[in-house]
Amino acid sequence: MGPPRRFQQHSRVKPKPKTLGQLLLDVGAVSEADLEQALAQQLDTGQRIGTLLVERGWADEEAVARCLALQLSLPYQPPPLDSDPAALRMIRPELARRGRALPISTTPRTIRLAMADPLDLATLDDVQFQSGRRVEAVVASPTAILDALDRSYGDEAQRLIRDLPEKWRQPHVASADALERRARSAPVVRLLDHILARAADEGASDIHMEKHLGKMRIRFRLDGVLRTVLGLPSESLDAVLSRLKIMAGMDISVKRRPQDGGFTIKRVASDLTLRVSSLPVKGGEKAVVRILDPEKAPWNLNGLGLSQEDLRRLRRLMQAGQGVILAAGPTGSGKSSTLFAALAELDREGQNLVTLEDPVEYGLPGANQVQVNPKAGLTFPSALRSVLRQDPDIIMVGEIRDRETAEIAMAAAVTGHLVLSTIHTVDAPGSITRLLNMGVPPYLLAGGLAGVVAQRLVRCLCPSCGGRKGEGCGECPDGYRGRTGIFQVLTMTDALREAVAANASLGTLRRLATESGMSSLKEDARRKVAERITSPHEVGRVIHGDGGASIPCPRCGKDVPLGSLGCPWCGVLRLRVCGCGAQLRSEWRFCPACLRQPSTV
């Protein structure tokens, strides 16, 4: 006899549901190699596997949506999506766009909702609260939902502009009380909320609000490039800026001096920190909003774009546990992201890590983060001195701006601390001369500096359209989406330390750094162009030169290192050299060293 019937029933094990990646593999929507590569990258990026596969062009968006519906046992809604007007009226456009959720139909008790992410419980709760109905979710692709939202709700911004009272569009000066009432009115609140939500949804890093050609111009900085997204009546600028100031804790009556403030807004994935800055300009004020998304903070160095060799060199500097490591480059080149990625790889549990920032941008678990405040006397030098009395192992200084900060950082490095900071220079060797010009003693710089990482940010070719003709597609505006870094890593060698201590020229420092294995920014850029990560046009937009490290060949146009006799790429001579070794100018008839004629040299 077999086991009792009751035991047989309880011994059955419910099969474990398949993962989304396995379902895509089963239906042939993704190759096994692409899936393995996506799973490896997921550990670095933290993205959902479906989103990552679509962004890399390894899986079709509709196939991902179909398999997601199968995994969650929900219906799948193919494009195009159609909506019942009665269902649309139940949900505010802001909620629908924020949650990428489209009301399709409704009954007295239920509302049918197409969602790109049916596991977004916050959106489900908000829709149920607004509609007063139970939500029946179906799965659709993000592109299908966004297209349907644009068709169904129209241009939400233009509707909000039309809601502004007509009298606000007449040019006159409003009193402070009237301006505050306008700033708190529903039309202005909805308009600013729409602008902020749209900027967050599109991944903008900054919002610019300013007067331009008789209108209020709204521009977003997307992947490092400013784009105009909205034009408003110029008379609405005061009301919108006043609303922004109220949210940021600023004084709306102050218009003739700069102000700074900030606030947070709640999004589906995380809370965004917004830093607001106002500036008096001709004809009024301008405001810039910096958007800081903690989800975008890198948590290791793998995803920044460093080559394997540069990554190995940088990690070796960090593992040494002492010395100053600098991230160099202009504003907006990703220096802070590189520092946070490096700090995230260090042991914050067994070591005392202190950061000095102005302002604190991202939270770093396990670190003691200090907000410098010059008005209160807490400057970078004074804060750094105080930190050195706190038994630190690792110190991050937001920026080296003056000789005093640089000297304290170098002295801390010499005494066994690891110090990370940023500096504004063109390339890595230029950071050394910049510090010397600040007045840092050569012996202290030679002993304290461990290495420099110079960098730029370039836009990546869109994985969906490949940047064909720069026209863009449904996933990108102009053939580019996202950014990656171009790097140059300098590590201090004994030869470089001796040259720094001897106050050597910049050319000598560049030559010694190159001999020690440092490549140029252009060389790293060429590698990314060859790998179809970015385009030559984008590299030319960002990198205008290598700071005097090379000159272009007159024949092939490639870089010729300074001091070389000719081009290493095509072999054309750059310099005339006499048999005695002296360099000759083209107009000289005789060698100045041995007086031989050019025909005999």
Side-chain angles (χ1 to χ4, degrees), residues 74-144:
L74 292 174
Y76 162 71
Q77 193 79 16
L81 304 179
D82 295 320
S83 298
D84 183 356
L88 291 172
R89 287 193 293 270
M90 291 185 176
I91 305 300
R92 289 181 58 185
E94 295 87 349
L95 172 58
R97 291 183 186 276
R98 184 177 70 243
R100 294 190 179 186
L102 177 74
I104 296 178
S105 60
T106 183
T107 68
R109 293 187 176 181
T110 64
I111 182 169
R112 193 173 179 84
L113 195 68
M115 301 184 69
D117 180 12
L119 300 178
D120 181 359
L121 300 181
T123 297
L124 288 170
D125 290 342
D126 289 344
V127 170
Q128 184 167 315
F129 178 78
Q130 281 193 17
S131 65
R133 287 163 169 76
R134 179 172 55 84
V135 176
E136 293 181 349
V138 301
V139 181
S141 67
T143 299

Side-chain angles (χ1 to χ4, degrees), residues 345-414:
E345 291 193 355
L346 297 173
D347 176 19
R348 302 189 299 277
E349 182 66 28
Q351 298 183 96
N352 180 18
L353 193 161
V354 184
T355 71
L356 306 178
E357 304 173 64
D358 183 21
V360 174
E361 295 188 356
Y362 301 111
L364 188 63
N368 300 289
Q369 297 178 266
V370 179
Q371 166 81 55
V372 300
N373 186 357
K375 293 181 179 179
L378 189 63
T379 61
F380 276 119
S382 63
L384 188 51
R385 288 193 188 92
S386 298
V387 166
L388 290 174
R389 295 191 289 270
Q390 291 284 315
D391 186 31
D393 297 294
I394 306 163
I395 306 170
M396 193 276 274
V397 183
E399 182 183 347
I400 290 183
R401 300 174 179 174
D402 50 51
R403 177 189 58 80
E404 191 176 9
T405 306
E407 285 188 354
I408 299 172
M410 294 298 163
V414 170

